[in-house]
């Protein structure tokens, strides 16, 4: 197997164009898949030395996060804490400290597990993805990208993510297994705007419910423009249970997750209420 370790984005893209190699961004999933024989790339492009890909900064009204920023980096960042609270929360509970030190946000998207912790918060916060290849460069809403098949081309590099700086309150919660710290059995991220006691632009994303994390349009319609009270919360619980029921169909996990999601949804909202000082 060929191994490459570029020091710039340009070098990484050039290597990808001339060699049949796979980008390595963290490797917590890729290395495991290689060991089990699930994937056998002919080459690896290790992005660990491309320092620009680890940047976390605010530019032009966006919180910009490089694809090689680790979950530990994000969990320690004041910029993430202040501007993307749901993502910051996800970083506190994602796997063990060893995994958080290695796993990256770009790798989370590249592997795109249904249980990927980083994707529901990014969806709820309206994140966009900066993609680069030798042929083109584009910025795509994450919700749009997750609808593509295949998700990424072989030579496509995830440059990073950008989250619009809005007055959003956000929260994240998940249900996991005790013996598998890195795996979420169910996750919910919520972001919303608060105008006095009315909520607007509600965005709810679910993970570990379908093939990929997804943003629920129906929850946005049901919950936006409403008074923030107990009735609003119960309306959301009923709708999120309906969504999970339809998404999972007859799968064995459906009855359990349909019930469990109500608690996870409530927990995500409680973190918003606590963080934002809102009284429901």
């Amino acid at each position: 197997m060929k191994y490459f370790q570029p020091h710039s984005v340009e070098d990484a893209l050039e290597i990808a164009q001339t060699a049949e190699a796979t980008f390595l961004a963290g490797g917590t999933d890729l290395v495991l898949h290689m060991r089990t024989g699930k994937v056998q790339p002919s080459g690896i492009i290790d992005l660990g030395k491309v320092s620009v890909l680890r940047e976390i900064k605010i530019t032009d009204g966006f919180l910009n996060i490089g694809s090689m920023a680790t979950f530990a980096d994000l969990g320690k960042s004041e910029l993430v804490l202040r501007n993307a609270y749901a993502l910051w929360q996800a970083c506190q509970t994602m796997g063990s400290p060893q995994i958080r030190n290695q796993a990256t946000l770009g790798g989370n998207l590249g592997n795109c597990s249904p249980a990927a912790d980083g994707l529901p918060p990014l969806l709820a916060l309206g994140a966009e993805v900066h993609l680069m290849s030798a042929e083109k460069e584009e910025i795509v809403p994450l919700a749009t990208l997750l609808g593509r098949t295949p998700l990424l081309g072989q030579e496509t590099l995830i440059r990073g993510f950008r989250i619009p700086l809005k007055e959003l309150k956000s929260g994240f919660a998940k249900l996991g297994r005790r013996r598998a710290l890195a795996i979420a059995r169910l996750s919910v991220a919520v972001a919303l705007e608060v105008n006095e006691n009315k909520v607007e632009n509600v965005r709810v994303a679910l993970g570990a419910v379908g093939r990929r994390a997804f943003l629920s349009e129906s929850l946005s319609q049901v919950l936006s423009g409403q008074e923030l009270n107990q009735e609003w919360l119960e309306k959301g619980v009923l709708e999120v249970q309906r969504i999970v029921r339809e998404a999972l169909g007859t799968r064995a996990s459906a009855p359990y997750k349909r019930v469990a999601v109500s608690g996870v949804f409530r927990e995500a909202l409680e973190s918003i209420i606590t963080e934002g000082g809102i009284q429901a």
Side-chain angles (χ1 to χ4, degrees), residues 232-271:
W232 176 86
L233 175 59
E234 297 306 324
K235 185 185 296 184
V237 167
L238 291 175
E239 182 63 13
V240 77
Q241 287 181 322
R242 183 192 68 80
I243 290 167
V244 169
R245 181 174 65 250
E246 291 186 357
L248 292 177
T250 58
R251 295 183 194 177
S253 62
Y256 169 72
K257 287 189 175 182
R258 187 174 66 248
V259 175
V261 73
S262 62
V264 180
F265 179 68
R266 289 175 191 273
E267 186 178 343
L269 285 173
E270 284 173 4
S271 66

Side-chain angles (χ1 to χ4, degrees), residues 8-278:
S8 71
V9 171
E10 293 73 21
D11 288 346
L13 292 175
E14 184 178 350
I15 294 169
Q17 190 176 22
T18 58
E20 293 184 2
T22 298
F23 288 116
L24 176 66
T28 55
D29 292 307
L30 178 60
V31 172
L32 178 61
H33 293 332
M34 290 169 60
R35 286 177 177 172
T36 59
K38 186 176 180 179
V39 295
Q40 293 294 332
S42 57
I44 291 292
I45 306 172
D46 183 356
L47 299 174
K49 295 295 184 179
V50 185
S51 59
V52 70
L53 296 182
R54 292 195 67 164
E55 292 181 344
I56 303 172
K57 60 185 180 180
I58 290 179
T59 310
D60 300 328
F62 290 90
L63 172 62
N64 288 276
I65 300 172
S67 60
M68 289 297 291
T70 67
F71 279 80
D73 294 333
L74 297 166
K76 296 172 184 175
S77 169
E78 286 293 324
L79 290 178
V80 175
L81 173 62
R82 292 198 304 267
N83 298 286
Y85 187 69
L87 179 59
W88 182 86
Q89 281 186 299
C91 295
Q92 310 306 312
T93 59
M94 189 273 189
S96 64
Q98 294 89 341
I99 291 174
R100 290 195 292 273
N101 283 327
Q102 187 70 23
T104 66
L105 200 56
N108 218 219
L109 174 59
N111 185 56
C112 205
S113 162
D117 283 354
L119 300 188
L122 288 172
L123 282 168
L125 291 164
E128 299 173 327
V129 188
H130 187 176
L131 302 175
M132 299 180 71
S133 69
E135 288 75 29
K136 65 177 180 178
E137 182 174 354
E138 61 179 336
I139 295 176
V140 187
L142 176 59
T144 300
L145 180 63
L146 289 175
R148 292 182 180 179
T149 302
L151 182 75
L152 299 168
Q154 176 69 25
E155 300 175 9
T156 300
L157 171 70
I158 302 172
R159 171 65 177 79
F161 305 83
R162 63 180 204 171
I163 298 171
L165 298 180
K166 298 180 179 179
E167 294 299 321
L168 293 177
K169 303 297 181 183
S170 66
F172 172 83
K174 75 173 185 179
L175 180 68
R177 298 176 185 270
R178 288 187 178 183
R179 295 183 181 179
L181 296 175
I183 303 300
R185 299 187 69 185
L186 183 67
S187 62
V188 176
V190 183
L192 50 83
E193 296 178 17
V194 181
N195 184 9
E196 294 182 351
N197 199 44
K198 182 175 287 188
V199 290
E200 304 285 355
N201 299 322
V202 180
R203 296 170 63 90
V204 182
L206 302 175
V209 173
R211 184 171 66 96
R212 293 172 178 169
F214 65 91
L215 194 66
S216 170
E217 292 295 334
S218 64
L219 271 166
S220 178
Q221 293 173 4
V222 167
L223 296 178
S224 295
Q226 306 289 318
E227 293 292 326
L228 181 59
N229 52 34
Q230 192 64 35
E231 182 181 353
W232 176 86
L233 175 59
E234 297 306 324
K235 185 185 296 184
V237 167
L238 291 175
E239 182 63 13
V240 77
Q241 287 181 322
R242 183 192 68 80
I243 290 167
V244 169
R245 181 174 65 250
E246 291 186 357
L248 292 177
T250 58
R251 295 183 194 177
S253 62
Y256 169 72
K257 287 189 175 182
R258 187 174 66 248
V259 175
V261 73
S262 62
V264 180
F265 179 68
R266 289 175 191 273
E267 186 178 343
L269 285 173
E270 284 173 4
S271 66
I272 293 179
I273 294 169
T274 302
E275 185 256 345
I278 306 165

